[in-house]
Amino acid sequence: MSIIVSHVNVTEKFSSDYDNSTYAYEKMGNYVTGVPEAPALQTFATIYRPIHGYLAAIVCALGVLANVLNIIVLTRKNMISSTNIILTGLAISDGLTMAFCFPFALQTYVLYGPTSSVERDTLSNARYTLTYAIVSVILHSISIWLTVTLAVFRYVFIRFPRIGAYYCNIKRAKAAVVIVSIVVTVVCIPNSISYEFRSELRNESNTSQTEGVVWYIDVRNGTHGDIVLAKFNFWIQAVIVKLLPCLLLTVFSVLLVRTMQDVENRRKKMMTKNSVADGETHPIGSSTTSKRSRRSQRTTRMLLIVVILFLVTETPQGIMSLLNGLIEDFFHNIYTPLGELLEILTLLNNGINFVLYCSMSKQFRDTFIYIFCGCFPKVVERRKMHTVTTTMVTEGL
């Protein structure tokens, strides 16, 4: 079996069709206890699987389009900022992940049905599946760690404004995206060399299926070195790719919320002091400062939602990927029936950012309208004239 492959356990989809496939999780460690089969989960998987491919293909197509739009808007001259550089990197990795998933969903579920067959499981399809299994892990892992980077940048900026303005600039944001991409790719090398092609002769009587060879991919387990590599890859994927970024996202989400509350309380106190000094009966403040503060708060809330959505999607997968190697039969009885559900939730998360940006960022909406509609160019131009360069560099959307 594969170690959790990005948001899709690709090998699980194939090896579950074959009795001679390797169940590598049994080699990962000592079992704590066993877990019985859950009939309700099996029933759910049976009902959902036939429609999963169609739903995944639709979500991928729309998600690729949404991320392309994100890239176009976020890379406009008036949108360039450290935050938007990271969001652009996130859009690229999410969009590519969904682009690779689209043909996989069509081939595995839609064109030939979700069950194993000679027509579906050809050698060429196995080769693409192997490519997808490798690339999707790398791309989705980059997305996860870019989200962590985004949370770190935003926390430093609002908690330590002066330090954030110096260290969280455009140059360092670009460097962070490149470093994350390189490091994650290197970390995923064990996963990239863990697979091999396998085949079996299908010769079933009393069926309408064509006789012939079916191909699939599985984790190497022929030598002691292969088993050691499988163990090493398991803990890398479970801990470094899943659980560690989820832990960091949790910590920085809490810190962001607390810092936002502190900043808002300080702002209200300053406004109250100004109003008392001016002899006013109601708190007032500088119009420019107030607008800038509200915009910063809106940006932070939006980015916090992006972080939380990733956290909600990835945490269950991280926990289950760890339990797969610690609890007997957990993979077959619990994870496998939920595999498609976890996949579609992750795909939805990869494509939803465009909706968040449009609904929560006026500048993003204005720029999008200016580029694609051309109906309200004056709105964007007015915003350009009132934008302070240093604010654009640090705040983003």
Side-chain angles (χ1 to χ4, degrees):
M1 291 305 307
S2 76
I3 309 308
I4 301 302
V5 178
S6 179
H7 57 282
V8 185
N9 192 326
V10 174
T11 317
E12 169 264 315
K13 295 181 183 299
F14 285 81
S15 59
S16 62
D17 293 330
Y18 307 103
D19 293 332
N20 65 341
S21 61
T22 302
Y23 189 34
Y25 280 116
E26 64 186 6
K27 307 184 185 73
M28 292 307 130
N30 297 322
Y31 289 131
V32 176
T33 183
V35 60
E37 184 176 347
L41 292 181
Q42 298 294 337
T43 301
F44 168 79
T46 302
I47 296 173
Y48 176 69
R49 177 166 289 186
I51 66 174
H52 172 73
Y54 296 92
L55 186 59
I58 293 172
V59 172
C60 285
L62 295 177
V64 170
L65 176 61
N67 280 292
V68 169
L69 295 177
N70 286 341
I71 295 169
I72 293 174
V73 175
L74 292 173
T75 53
R76 296 305 92 188
K77 186 175 181 180
N78 68 301
M79 295 291 293
I80 297 297
S81 70
S82 58
T83 296
N84 291 351
I85 291 294
I86 301 174
L87 291 178
T88 301
L90 184 61
I92 293 173
S93 57
D94 285 347
L96 288 175
T97 300
M98 302 180 86
F100 274 93
C101 183
F102 181 74
F104 176 79
L106 290 180
Q107 175 74 12
T108 306
Y109 293 95
V110 177
L111 298 180
Y112 300 103
T115 57
S116 173
S117 66
V118 174
E119 293 82 1
R120 188 193 75 169
D121 301 329
T122 61
L123 178 58
S124 60
N125 183 48
R127 286 170 176 165
Y128 182 80
T129 301
L130 179 59
T131 302
Y132 173 60
I134 294 172
V135 174
S136 64
V137 170
I138 296 173
L139 291 173
H140 192 63
S141 301
I142 289 173
S143 293
I144 295 173
W145 280 101
L146 283 180
T147 306
V148 175
T149 304
L150 180 66
V152 172
F153 265 61
R154 194 61 192 175
Y155 171 71
V156 172
F157 172 71
I158 66 173
R159 180 66 179 84
F160 311 102
R162 293 183 179 179
I163 296 177
Y166 179 77
Y167 286 102
C168 300
N169 54 35
I170 293 177
K171 182 178 179 180
R172 286 184 171 84
K174 291 179 180 179
V177 172
V178 173
I179 291 172
V180 166
S181 301
I182 294 175
V183 171
V184 168
T185 302
V186 172
V187 169
C188 289
I189 288 177
N191 183 74
S192 302
I193 61 177
S194 294
Y195 301 107
E196 65 180 358
F197 293 110
R198 295 189 181 182
S199 64
E200 70 171 14
L201 179 64
R202 169 148 306 183
N203 187 14
E204 300 179 356
S205 59
N206 300 323
T207 68
S208 59
Q209 291 183 319
T210 304
E211 296 182 359
V213 176
V214 291
W215 291 85
Y216 60 102
I217 63 171
D218 208 343
V219 172
R220 300 177 184 272
N221 70 329
T223 66
H224 176 71
D226 291 336
I227 295 175
V228 172
L229 178 63
K231 290 182 178 181
F232 181 63
N233 186 38
F234 169 80
W235 290 109
I236 286 179
Q237 296 296 313
V239 177
I240 297 180
V241 174
K242 292 291 184 180
L243 292 180
L244 179 58
C246 287
L247 176 62
L248 293 175
L249 287 176
T250 301
V251 171
F252 281 103
S253 295
V254 173
L255 291 176
L256 276 171
V257 171
R258 294 182 60 180
T259 304
M260 286 176 62
Q261 293 174 343
D262 293 341
V263 169
E264 181 63 18
N265 290 336
R266 287 198 302 267
R267 186 182 70 85
K268 289 180 178 179
K269 289 181 179 179
M270 291 181 62
M271 291 174 64
T272 301
K273 290 181 179 179
N274 289 338
S275 66
V276 171
D278 294 338
E280 299 286 344
T281 57
H282 300 284
I284 61 173
S286 169
S287 176
T288 302
T289 303
S290 180
K291 289 181 179 179
R292 186 177 303 173
S293 176
R294 288 196 298 270
R295 177 185 172 189
S296 178
Q297 290 285 77
R298 286 196 302 268
T299 300
T300 304
R301 282 194 293 268
M302 184 192 69
L303 298 180
L304 185 60
I305 292 175
V306 173
V307 170
I308 291 176
L309 286 176
F310 251 96
L311 185 62
V312 170
T313 304
E314 299 300 327
T315 300
Q317 295 185 47
I319 295 174
M320 286 197 289
S321 67
L322 182 63
L323 296 179
N324 284 335
L326 299 179
I327 300 179
E328 186 177 8
D329 295 328
F330 185 91
F331 183 83
H332 279 313
N333 295 339
I334 304 298
Y335 181 81
T336 298
L338 294 174
E340 283 84 6
L341 177 62
L342 294 174
E343 175 181 359
I344 199 65
L345 291 176
T346 304
L347 290 174
L348 287 170
N349 182 51
N350 287 348
I352 200 173
N353 286 347
F354 176 77
V355 178
L356 293 177
Y357 301 159
C358 284
S359 61
M360 301 187 69
S361 172
K362 188 176 187 301
Q363 186 181 13
F364 186 93
R365 289 195 304 271
D366 290 344
T367 305
F368 175 80
I369 291 172
Y370 180 74
I371 295 173
F372 294 99
C373 299
C375 299
F376 308 103
K378 293 183 179 180
V379 176
V380 179
E381 292 300 324
R382 285 198 300 266
R383 290 191 62 85
K384 286 181 181 179
M385 294 179 63
H386 288 84
T387 300
V388 181
T389 303
T390 55
T391 303
M392 289 295 301
V393 169
T394 54
E395 290 192 6
L397 288 170

